[in-house]
Amino acid sequence: MIEFKVKDQNGNFVTLKSVKNLRLTLRTKAEEENNVFSLGWKQTLSYSGTKYITIKVNGVLDCKVADKLLCKYAFANAVSDYEISFSSSGEKISLQCLIELYERYYDPSNFDSFTLTLVSAGVVNLKTI
């Protein structure tokens, strides 16, 4: 399971638990790492303060507070704090990002879904939980 969190203005994290998939792309001078579960990206994260990291998230919007925060940060072009936890590997990524893309899909016969593209704007930290 992937847990995605965004920090609100009070310093508390709001959680989106219905993430369908997540794609992590690290651009280094030599190559691009796309596979979240490969060993290469874990080593690259600790030196990523000057590197370009993109995270693409797709899921079902299960939290209206998170939707409001993401819309606000996208419109303001603001840097905000995020956390991503992978329960299968026991790892957590903490980072600051700008929202490059935030799409909402409204379907009366289905749950509302979203697509989010984040671009790193600072140091990315990896912790093993």
Side-chain angles (χ1 to χ4, degrees), residues 11 35 53 64 69 71-72 74 95 107 116:
N35 185 347
I53 298 171
K64 291 184 185 213
L69 284 172
C71 282
K72 179 181 177 178
L95 68 163
D107 186 351
L116 177 68

Side-chain angles (χ1 to χ4, degrees), residues 72-80 82 97-99:
K72 179 181 177 178
Y73 295 153
F75 276 111
N77 199 25
V79 174
S80 48
Y82 299 88
C97 292
L98 288 165
I99 296 175

Side-chain angles (χ1 to χ4, degrees), residues 56-74:
K56 294 182 182 180
V57 183
N58 294 304
V60 174
L61 196 59
D62 59 1
C63 179
K64 291 184 185 213
V65 175
D67 176 41
K68 288 180 183 180
L69 284 172
L70 293 171
C71 282
K72 179 181 177 178
Y73 295 153

Side-chain angles (χ1 to χ4, degrees), residues 11-31:
N12 301 313
F13 279 98
V14 178
T15 304
L16 282 165
K17 294 182 181 179
S18 299
V19 172
K20 292 185 209 174
N21 59 59
L22 183 140
R23 180 179 177 172
L24 178 68
T25 304
L26 296 114
R27 298 193 188 275
T28 63
K29 291 179 183 175
E31 62 186 59

